[in-house]
Amino acid sequence: MVESRWWITALTHAVLLLGVLVVLLPIYLAFVASTHPVQNVIQVPMPMLPGGHFWENYSQVLGRGVPTVGNVPIAVMLFNSLVMALGIAAGKIAISILSAFAIVYFRFPLRMAFFWLIFITLMLPVEVRIVPTFQVAADLNLLNSYTGLILPLIASATATFLFRQFFLTVPDELAEAARMDGAGPMRFFFDILLPLSRTNIAALFVILFIYGWNQYLWPLLITTDRDMTTVVISVQALVSVMEEEPQWHLLMAVAMLAMLPPVAVVLLMQRWFVKGLVEPEK
Amino acid sequence: MQKRVLFHNPWLPYVLLAPQIAVTLVFFIWPASQAILQSVLLEDPFGLSSQFVGLENFQRLFADPHYLNSLRVTAVFSIAVALLALTTALVLAVMADRALRFAVGYRTLLVWPYAVAPAVAGVLWLFLFNPTIGILAYLLRGVGISWNHYLDGGQAMLLVVIAAAWKQISYNFLFFLAGLAAIPRTLIEAAAIDGAGPVRRFWTIVFPLLSPTTFFLVVINVVYAFFDTFGTIHAVTQGGPARATEILVYKVYRDGFIGLDLGGSAAQSVVLMAIVIGLTVAQFRFIERRIQY
């Protein structure tokens, strides 16, 4: 920067550290609470350092579940969340990359009509068409199934646009050369276009995995069996019984488990994540 | 933009598009048209018959004090969330941009909440603000404020605003940081040589040049506050106390699934669709404008 006066630098770091504190405090205290027995957590003020009940609390919620919400092990719900998040991420990428390929590399009747049809999905999040979408899913027997959790959420205008933008920057010479060598469109797609899109796919995968993992309204509606539901929904189920039997230590352990996979993905794949998030807007 | 080299095949493009189009038609277009259809019908409570009532559902909706309350609550909620999340993120991004060598380190520490589900974010803050055991409620009692968001609508609103904004800070921070990095250093140095201090430089150079990013983020934050915070509201306050935090999306859910008022819920869906279309158009006008830069 331009100035290098010591107090400006000190102020800069003070503000940043305060910001980091505010951002990380809720996560830290949730972790602390998840490592104590319940009587420590409900005393006021609660302890500020982790306790010795880490294994007790986590093995209970993972292996045996919580009695007040049906004793379903959280491990089962973590698995459901994982299936849903991977299914949504992989499904969205697969169908979007194929449609972007069709729209960029072919001319055919109704091309623009299809393009606009996909575009419209951008304007219709689940939240605005709750009841009729639920009816469709119920009519198709999709309640309490992985297909029901995944399929309605995999149409994606944003991913299609992203791939379309990227394909438009791929040099025409590549397609030309492939055609001269006698490669058909699908050969070109699998041997040239797909390997070129690797970075874009990785970036998109991080964003979509988090999107899928954190889905709330749709799993809430479509899963009524406790052992088909996701870990985020089970956090809410635990909160709703907190009045009768406060088990904050277990609730916080479940909340930590619900955060861990997406936070780990963001931190480990930070480079792709930032690229995927910020750069499509440029 | 058009491709020069094209493949020719009479049926392949349709096959490639089929999965996307099928999902779109079944789960987007059909339900949306059902919502529009139901919004002009009045169904009897048993779902046996329905009659065409024109715009009556909409008239009923806008005469309903609960709906008007929900509109007001949503406006307050989304403005507060956007304002809080944007200003905090902007301050942190400007500081991180100054902290050159450490910027990536701070970024790593600040991106966490992006990955936390809105409902889980709500529960974390619920724990801190719990009237009996919450550490922040305890500290507030220490300075003479009695905190109970189960009874006080204003406090409940504050709680969900904090939880929703907390989660959105990381997203805004990343975009502001990218926006700041794109501002030419020479401009700032020139201003410094002319004697402008850091505060003056921020308001006359940095802030105006960030305005495309800011405008984009305002739209994104409003969309987030309108739709993605359903989980926060549902897990933390259930719209209460006394409908003080009942945002539009929560009301659609409650009227449709708990109240079973299909016509009313569908009319609300149609209003929401109009809002999303408005916001999307605003977003795209902005992107077009940015391309001309």
Side-chain angles (χ1 to χ4, degrees):
Chain A
M1 256 305 161
V2 187
E3 288 94 353
S4 48
R5 269 169 288 174
W6 69 270
W7 62 269
I8 294 189
T9 313
L11 184 73
T12 303
H13 286 283
V15 171
L16 282 167
L17 288 173
L18 187 71
V20 169
L21 195 72
V22 170
V23 163
L24 293 186
L25 183 79
I27 299 177
Y28 174 72
L29 290 178
F31 174 70
V32 170
S34 72
T35 58
H36 279 277
V38 70
Q39 61 270 23
N40 289 5
V41 179
I42 58 173
Q43 80 185 12
V44 181
M46 66 172 278
M48 285 292 118
L49 292 172
H53 273 234
F54 181 84
W55 288 115
E56 282 92 326
N57 293 346
Y58 282 86
S59 60
Q60 181 185 343
V61 294
L62 274 173
R64 282 167 305 179
V66 184
T68 40
V69 287
N71 270 325
V72 179
I74 295 300
V76 172
M77 295 169 184
L78 283 169
F79 179 75
N80 292 342
S81 287
L82 186 70
V83 171
M84 180 170 84
L86 290 176
I88 289 176
K92 274 195 184 224
I93 289 173
I95 69 171
S96 306
I97 201 167
L98 289 178
S99 14
F101 178 56
I103 283 171
V104 174
Y105 281 94
F106 292 88
R107 289 291 166 277
F108 51 95
L110 295 179
R111 192 175 74 100
M112 285 322 278
F114 285 123
F115 186 70
W116 283 103
L117 200 61
I118 296 168
F119 180 75
I120 281 176
T121 61
L122 200 65
M123 300 180 180
L124 302 170
V126 179
E127 285 79 0
V128 308
R129 48 187 171 85
I130 303 174
V131 180
T133 314
F134 177 79
Q135 282 165 346
V136 170
D139 291 344
L140 294 174
N141 269 326
L142 292 177
L143 305 185
N144 289 313
S145 72
Y146 288 129
T147 321
L149 279 171
I150 295 167
L151 197 60
L153 297 175
I154 65 172
S156 171
T158 17
T160 312
F161 279 120
L162 219 72
F163 284 123
R164 174 179 170 267
Q165 295 304 101
F166 173 67
F167 290 165
L168 288 173
T169 67
V170 171
D172 285 349
E173 286 74 14
L174 286 176
E176 187 82 65
R179 219 168 49 174
M180 272 201 263
D181 289 348
M186 290 323 285
R187 181 85 192 272
F188 169 72
F189 176 75
F190 283 111
D191 287 356
I192 297 173
L193 217 46
L194 207 57
L196 282 176
S197 317
R198 262 199 320 243
T199 343
N200 287 282
I201 292 176
L204 205 56
F205 186 85
V206 178
I207 309 272
L208 294 177
F209 178 85
I210 295 164
Y211 164 86
W213 185 278
N214 289 345
Q215 280 302 310
Y216 188 84
L217 179 61
W218 189 244
L220 179 74
L221 298 179
I222 202 158
T223 58
T224 46
D225 287 352
R226 283 253 182 259
D227 50 6
M228 269 311 291
T229 201
T230 65
V231 66
V232 175
I233 298 298
S234 69
V235 170
Q236 189 275 331
L238 267 170
V239 174
S240 61
V241 296
M242 219 25 72
E243 293 289 295
E244 297 111 63
E245 199 178 341
Q247 294 170 309
W248 289 99
H249 60 313
L250 299 183
L251 171 60
M252 288 301 131
V254 178
M256 288 305 291
L257 290 170
M259 285 188 261
L260 189 65
V263 168
V265 166
V266 163
L267 291 182
L268 294 176
M269 299 180 75
Q270 198 182 146
R271 197 163 56 89
W272 282 297
F273 161 69
V274 174
K275 181 181 152 52
L277 196 66
V278 181
E279 280 180 10
E281 303 308 329
K282 283 193 175 162
Chain B
M1 224 158 113
Q2 298 270 317
K3 277 273 172 197
R4 219 162 17 84
V5 184
L6 296 168
F7 292 103
H8 299 282
N9 193 314
W11 51 268
L12 188 61
Y14 297 102
V15 176
L16 294 171
L17 277 167
Q20 173 101 310
I21 297 299
V23 173
T24 307
L25 284 177
V26 174
F27 294 106
F28 287 78
I29 306 298
W30 170 255
S33 47
Q34 284 293 301
I36 294 171
L37 184 67
Q38 278 170 2
S39 72
V40 293
L41 296 177
L42 187 65
E43 211 164 321
D44 72 81
F46 305 104
L48 297 175
S49 67
S50 53
Q51 62 177 76
F52 179 78
V53 292
L55 295 178
E56 202 180 290
N57 284 323
F58 291 95
Q59 282 165 357
R60 202 155 49 92
L61 198 59
F62 284 102
D64 179 3
H66 290 320
Y67 190 70
L68 298 177
N69 169 61
S70 179
L71 277 175
R72 197 183 51 80
V73 165
T74 312
V76 171
F77 177 72
S78 38
I79 291 170
V81 169
L83 216 59
L84 185 60
L86 284 169
T87 45
T88 318
L90 181 59
V91 170
L92 291 174
V94 168
M95 294 299 162
D97 191 48
R98 292 189 61 91
L100 296 172
R101 269 178 303 147
F102 305 97
V104 174
Y106 282 117
R107 193 183 74 186
T108 306
L109 290 170
L110 289 169
V111 295
W112 290 44
Y114 175 82
V116 178
V120 176
V123 171
L124 295 181
W125 287 97
L126 183 68
F127 175 58
L128 300 182
F129 276 110
N130 182 280
T132 33
I133 66 148
I135 186 95
L136 293 180
Y138 164 79
L139 293 175
L140 285 172
R141 262 201 306 281
V143 295
I145 300 168
S146 104
W147 179 275
N148 191 343
H149 63 263
Y150 292 108
L151 301 175
D152 185 320
Q155 291 181 349
M157 176 59 99
L158 194 59
L159 174 58
V160 286
V161 165
I162 291 173
W166 174 76
K167 196 194 129 44
Q168 194 62 8
I169 289 174
S170 352
Y171 186 92
N172 297 344
F173 174 78
L174 289 172
F175 275 87
F176 276 134
L177 203 58
L180 287 168
I183 295 177
R185 297 281 135 169
T186 45
L187 278 179
I188 293 167
E189 277 159 22
I193 292 168
D194 288 347
V199 177
R200 174 107 189 262
R201 286 203 307 271
F202 176 79
W203 287 114
T204 54
I205 298 173
V206 177
F207 192 70
L209 284 176
L210 267 185
S211 64
T213 309
T214 313
F215 180 72
F216 166 77
L217 285 175
V218 167
V219 176
I220 294 287
N221 279 258
V222 170
V223 171
Y224 163 78
F226 261 76
F227 302 104
D228 296 343
T229 51
F230 173 84
T232 316
I233 303 283
H234 185 255
V236 176
T237 63
Q238 306 258 318
R243 296 174 187 266
T245 55
E246 190 176 67
I247 60 170
L248 290 169
V249 178
Y250 190 77
K251 192 167 160 55
V252 175
Y253 163 79
R254 181 161 149 167
D255 290 356
F257 273 89
I258 299 164
L260 295 176
D261 171 12
L262 293 183
S265 174
Q268 293 181 36
S269 286
V270 172
V271 174
L272 277 174
M273 277 186 230
I275 294 173
V276 189
I277 289 170
L279 287 170
T280 315
V281 169
Q283 199 176 326
F284 271 82
R285 298 256 323 245
F286 150 75
I287 290 172
E288 268 169 28
R289 226 183 45 196
R290 184 147 86 170
I291 287 165
Q292 289 169 5
Y293 270 21

